[in-house]
Amino acid sequence: MISECIVVGERVRLRPVGERDLPHFVKWLADREVTRWLAEMGDPPSLEDEREWHDRKRSDPDNVLWSIETLEGRLLGNVELRLVTRARRAEMGISIHDKTQWGKGYGTDTVRLVLAHAFSELELNRVELTTDETNARAIRCYEKCGFKPEGILRQHRLIDGKFGNTVLMAVLKTEWAR
Amino acid sequence: MGAVIHEAILEGDLVTLRPFRDEDVPLLHQWSNDPDVLRWLHLSEDPPELMQSLEAHRERWERIRDDPAQMSWRIDTKDALPIGELGLLAIHPSHRRAELGISIGEEPYRGRGYGTDAIRTLLRHAFGTFGLRRVQLITDEDNERGIRCYEKSGFAREGLLRQHRLRHGEPLNMMIMGALSEEWDSHGIGAGK
């Protein structure tokens, strides 16, 4: 399901992913520096792959997907919630694809907006995510937003021929509301 | 991975694992009617009328059967009595990992080593023939018998997922555990067969 709603924060706006975003995603996802942090990413996607990805997400009722852009309308990446409604939980996946815009607080603002939406609008109880153990910048961002580390999944992902650990983090509604 | 390998019948010391079939679905229905089975399953998140009919079990099974990332077996005693089921799910060939799920449906066979033997038998093949590097599972924090069995089978505790699911409406912590092929080999947990 592509989210119908537009959410505006202090630095970013979350809006539905459009066809016109896909060529930008393809360009950015050809860069290993960007994709090395994306757990499920295989070979760089073609435009056709990205269209299929977009269609799949659009028809999935348990998925909420937004494009992330600056308040001036510059596209940055995308963010999604994978819902497990019966457990009132979701898994978040976020990527600022445009690496020239890393470290500017766009990711943190995005995560805060998505959490507010998840807990207030979707009435979820828990939001979780996984990230590479060595992705210090992302882990810092998630901690700032209230996520707590809950476990280390050993040898969970194969990256550039080496097995690496994954950190699992989560934030509960009761913690977020404080 | 896939259909060819999944023809395999896996022999343990106490159990035989046979690929799960359409005609086995009534067993799932029968077993999940036992509150002591249902309690530990994700099915306990759903309203009973929604998920526990025979038809609902059949639909669930058909989704599993048609998903290339899942494989399921029926657990039989050596006398060919079906006592439960186990499966690999979220099989991820490029990261060489999968998740494990197991349920012993027949009460007299719980806590007597059948589940442990079934898991060891599957892990031996998961790490051997299938070439997996890691098998993980999550289980309810209060499932002490399950956690003991998983530890005996080669799993280590890796984390505690707070309020990860609802059991009949109540939030419940879950333990995540992982087994690695290199530990399996070096500790000889899989030895003896």
Side-chain angles (χ1 to χ4, degrees), chain A residues 29-47:
Chain A
L29 292 175
D31 184 346
R32 191 72 190 118
E33 204 185 333
V34 176
T35 59
R36 88 167 297 300
W37 305 114
L38 304 179
E40 304 310 323
M41 185 65 59
D43 294 330
S46 64
L47 186 56

Side-chain angles (χ1 to χ4, degrees), chain A residues 93-174:
Chain A
I94 174 176
S95 173
I96 302 294
H97 286 350
D98 183 351
K99 69 181 179 188
T100 68
Q101 301 302 304
W102 286 354
K104 297 187 173 182
Y106 293 129
T108 303
D109 198 34
T110 300
V111 173
R112 286 191 175 132
L113 284 176
V114 171
L115 286 182
H117 188 80
F119 292 130
S120 303
E121 303 298 320
L122 303 177
E123 298 185 335
L124 299 181
N125 183 53
R126 169 186 167 93
V127 176
E128 63 188 11
L129 57 81
T130 58
T131 191
D132 191 306
E133 185 186 42
T134 64
N135 193 355
R137 178 164 45 207
I139 293 171
R140 221 165 32 239
C141 160
Y142 300 140
E143 283 179 334
K144 262 198 292 191
C145 297
F147 283 86
K148 295 194 173 127
E150 292 186 330
I152 299 279
L153 317 186
R154 298 164 303 152
Q155 302 187 10
H156 186 254
R157 51 180 87 194
L158 183 59
I159 296 170
D160 300 334
K162 288 201 186 104
F163 282 94
N165 298 340
T166 289
V167 185
L168 196 150
M169 308 181 78
V171 54
L172 303 181
K173 181 173 189 168
T174 47

Side-chain angles (χ1 to χ4, degrees), chain B residues 9-153:
Chain B
I9 291 174
L10 311 180
E11 296 287 350
D13 295 327
L14 297 173
V15 300
T16 300
L17 309 181
R18 301 173 183 281
F20 202 86
R21 294 178 205 279
D22 293 353
E23 53 265 36
D24 298 325
V25 169
L27 289 168
L28 296 179
H29 179 234
Q30 178 196 320
W31 290 332
S32 72
N33 276 329
D34 177 350
D36 284 339
V37 173
L38 180 65
R39 174 181 177 78
W40 310 114
L41 301 180
H42 283 288
L43 285 182
S44 60
E45 289 167 2
D46 291 319
E49 64 279 10
L50 192 67
M51 280 310 290
Q52 286 159 45
S53 70
L54 181 58
E55 201 36 51
H57 277 285
R58 194 170 298 287
E59 284 169 21
R60 271 185 65 247
W61 158 244
E62 286 170 1
R63 279 199 300 276
I64 292 169
R65 181 195 64 195
D66 298 338
D67 180 351
Q70 300 199 46
M71 291 194 259
S72 294
W73 289 264
R74 195 180 84 187
I75 306 171
D76 286 6
T77 64
K78 290 298 180 184
D79 306 329
L81 175 73
I83 59 168
E85 49 108 10
L86 96 165
L88 292 176
L89 51 152
I91 300 169
H92 208 310
S94 60
H95 290 289
R96 291 171 53 196
R97 67 170 189 255
E99 292 173 25
L100 181 141
I102 181 171
S103 174
I104 301 294
E106 296 294 335
E107 198 277 333
Y109 294 90
R110 290 182 209 141
R112 305 180 71 174
Y114 290 89
T116 305
D117 187 47
I119 293 174
R120 285 184 184 173
T121 302
L122 180 58
L123 286 185
R124 193 176 303 132
H125 287 267
F127 293 141
T129 326
F130 305 167
L132 295 183
R133 176 82 166 201
R134 169 186 169 84
V135 175
Q136 68 183 59
L137 61 82
I138 55 174
T139 189
D140 296 344
E141 184 188 21
D142 58 354
N143 186 4
E144 289 164 23
R145 184 166 56 199
I147 292 169
R148 239 186 352 260
C149 161
Y150 301 137
E151 285 180 329
K152 267 195 297 190
S153 310

